[in-house]
Amino acid sequence: MPPFAIRLVRFTGRPLLALAAIATLVIVFLALIVLTDGAGSGTGAWLTALGAGTAAALWRGRRRTRAARLVPFLPVVVAAALTASVCVPTVPTARRYPPALPFVATQHWSLATGSRVAVYHYPPANPGTRHPIPFVYLNGGPVRGVSLLDHRFLRLLARQGYDVYAYEQAGGGRSDLLPMDQYTISRSVHDLAAFIDHLDKGRVDILGFSSGAVVLTQALADPGIAAHLHRAVIAEPGPMDGPTAHITGHKGRPSARGLAPAMTGPRSTRIPRYATAFGLMRLGLLTPDTGLTGQAEGDNAFTAADLGSDTASAYCARDAHRIPTEDTAQNFSFSPAASLRVQQTIKDSPSIAPQLRRSQTPAMLMIAECSSQVRQWATAILANDPAIQRTQYMPGVGHHMWNGLDDNNDRAAAVITAFLQDKPAPVPNCPTRDEIPAFLRDHK
């Protein structure tokens, strides 16, 4: 047997040593990714790790025979092959926007803020019951396209005589991207004001859902913007500001998280490049503006299945095995990096409670029985906004209250339209401000 082969047999007889060398190089590569924030699509970290591994292999083989000197390079080659996959895009790096929807035209409005957003308009389908105040929907995410499930609910409102508008916030869906440092909660609020101004139909009614409810709440705390709001529906809000974001507490009744079947379909997080990028961003080890994956590439790569159990958490445990398909792969759009950036600016924002206490815009708060949101996020708004006239606790639904199951869409629409028309509420006003402590104690 040739000397090199003998050395190879001896080396491969020590697999733990080889695995340790490979693991060390992978860890060095990941550490360099973090230190360089993924600069150059990770190639700088890859070349540096490869260089360090090569230098170590040369040092280890310096006293060996010429043929045996190649053996220490085997872990370097394996580690280089493994980590190279993190540096190579597998989707287009230029933004691919979802195709046009077959049931509604996509308009694009250039707002005074510089954002160019995709807009959907559902005129009232029943002229006999037309309501004079335009209705605007702010979807959740943040920085997510409007789902087909939401579009279905908006059409229901249009059939009831509402002049419905929805827009996808900058970076989401068919709206244009922004530079990463411009994704802030403040920008989202000013985009809303610019959208209302561009609409040019006077004051509007607004339904804000989830992170859209956060945008709406911050708008209510700004007198200049609130003056353009007729009525506001705050549905299942996230934290309204930094101090609220740091509150920990109880959530709603059990959701379908951990009970529903795993989502099917392709996942970018099974690809080393995107698993590394999204994972390190979520841990705060990479910035949203990382050089590892550009914003457009990350948006193209991310799929509905990547949301994992987050989707199930928006439904009650009893619905775990009948969760509806919220979207199609063609329409689904979510910007993970921009979303993290917006969420961080909320966490870093000062309290808006003093300004919210001066709000005069009639408002309603909607809370789901199986909410995945911290209860105090909603009750903080109730406690600080004196203009909230109703709180509607919605039994039998999770975070995504209009979900197409049973009569949930009709029940949500009945609650919303009753408030907008100043008619009696179809469910009790619960909790009131005085009932907040008891609500937090009993509804968990």
Side-chain angles (χ1 to χ4, degrees):
M1 183 179 292
F4 172 73
I6 295 173
R7 293 279 187 174
L8 180 59
V9 169
R10 289 176 180 172
F11 182 82
T12 53
R14 294 177 289 174
L16 292 180
L17 182 60
L19 289 174
I22 293 169
T24 299
L25 287 173
V26 170
I27 291 171
V28 168
F29 169 74
L30 293 175
L32 290 168
I33 287 285
V34 172
L35 290 173
T36 62
D37 199 28
S41 198
T43 53
W46 185 81
L47 289 171
T48 303
L50 179 60
T54 300
L58 288 171
W59 175 261
R60 290 187 58 201
R62 70 191 186 283
R63 294 180 179 176
R64 302 185 182 192
T65 64
R66 178 171 297 183
R69 288 174 188 171
L70 297 176
V71 174
F73 285 91
L74 290 176
V76 179
V77 172
V78 173
L82 290 173
T83 54
S85 61
V86 176
C87 305
V88 181
T90 61
V91 299
T93 56
R95 183 70 176 106
R96 290 184 311 186
Y97 292 95
L101 293 167
F103 49 80
V104 63
T106 304
Q107 306 174 45
H108 284 92
W109 292 5
S110 295
L111 305 181
T113 55
S115 298
R116 187 171 181 268
V117 297
V119 181
Y120 310 99
H121 180 210
Y122 293 102
N126 187 350
T129 58
R130 178 167 185 159
H131 301 281
I133 306 295
F135 179 96
V136 176
Y137 175 60
L138 287 174
N139 68 303
V143 199
R144 180 174 177 176
V146 177
S147 71
L148 297 184
L149 208 57
D150 285 349
H151 277 289
R152 193 175 303 134
F153 183 65
L154 298 179
R155 292 202 297 273
L156 171 61
L157 295 175
R159 288 196 298 272
Q160 298 184 8
Y162 289 90
D163 192 19
V164 178
Y165 290 84
Y167 71 94
E168 290 170 321
Q169 296 172 48
R174 296 164 184 81
S175 294
D176 286 5
L177 306 181
L178 294 175
M180 189 57 68
D181 61 358
Q182 293 186 27
Y183 289 106
T184 65
I185 184 60
S186 177
R187 176 60 172 265
S188 298
V189 174
H190 286 100
D191 277 353
L192 171 60
F195 178 86
I196 297 170
D197 184 62
H198 193 286
L199 183 60
D200 196 24
K201 290 192 175 184
R203 293 195 300 166
V204 301
D205 292 328
I206 295 192
L207 165 62
F209 167 64
S210 194
S211 63
V214 177
V215 176
L216 176 55
T217 303
Q218 292 226 354
L220 291 170
D222 185 321
I225 302 175
H228 298 281
L229 309 183
H230 178 252
R231 285 183 173 246
V233 179
I234 305 166
E236 279 289 282
M240 67 181 184
D241 54 23
T244 310
H246 291 91
I247 292 176
T248 57
H250 298 294
K251 299 183 181 181
R253 300 277 165 77
S255 75
R257 181 187 288 270
L259 301 174
M263 291 189 69
T264 59
R267 297 190 181 204
S268 67
T269 46
R270 290 174 177 166
I271 300 171
R273 177 172 176 81
Y274 306 111
T276 300
F278 298 149
L280 292 178
M281 275 192 284
R282 194 173 183 87
L283 292 171
L285 298 176
L286 287 182
T287 67
D289 202 18
T290 176
L292 182 57
T293 56
Q295 178 189 171
E297 182 190 348
D299 293 3
N300 293 338
F302 202 88
T303 69
D306 285 324
L307 293 173
S309 58
D310 284 355
T311 298
S313 70
Y315 295 84
C316 289
R318 67 178 71 93
D319 296 325
H321 294 281
R322 60 170 194 155
I323 292 176
T325 301
E326 295 192 343
D327 222 339
T328 62
Q330 292 74 29
N331 187 65
F332 177 81
S333 171
F334 181 70
S335 178
S339 181
L340 287 172
R341 165 78 182 162
V342 173
Q343 292 177 59
Q344 188 59 52
T345 65
I346 295 173
K347 293 176 182 177
D348 294 340
S349 66
S351 172
I352 63 168
Q355 294 83 3
L356 192 60
R357 293 186 190 116
R358 296 193 290 270
S359 175
Q360 298 179 3
T361 304
M364 177 178 74
L365 180 65
M366 296 178 71
I367 304 175
E369 177 185 4
C370 310
S371 176
S372 56
Q373 309 289 75
V374 174
R375 290 297 197 195
Q376 285 89 335
W377 293 349
T379 57
I381 297 174
L382 176 60
N384 288 289
D385 185 349
I388 290 181
Q389 299 177 349
R390 305 179 185 181
T391 302
Q392 304 284 263
Y393 177 74
M394 303 294 291
V397 293
H399 181 60
H400 206 154
M401 291 182 283
W402 41 89
N403 52 38
L405 296 175
D406 303 326
D407 63 344
N408 292 339
N409 282 17
D410 291 330
R411 289 197 298 132
V415 164
I416 292 167
T417 57
F419 171 69
L420 297 181
Q421 298 173 40
D422 200 21
K423 294 180 178 180
V427 296
N429 181 32
C430 170
T432 63
R433 289 179 186 83
D434 293 338
E435 294 170 342
I436 290 175
F439 176 79
L440 293 175
R441 182 185 66 245
D442 300 335
H443 291 80
K444 59 184 181 181

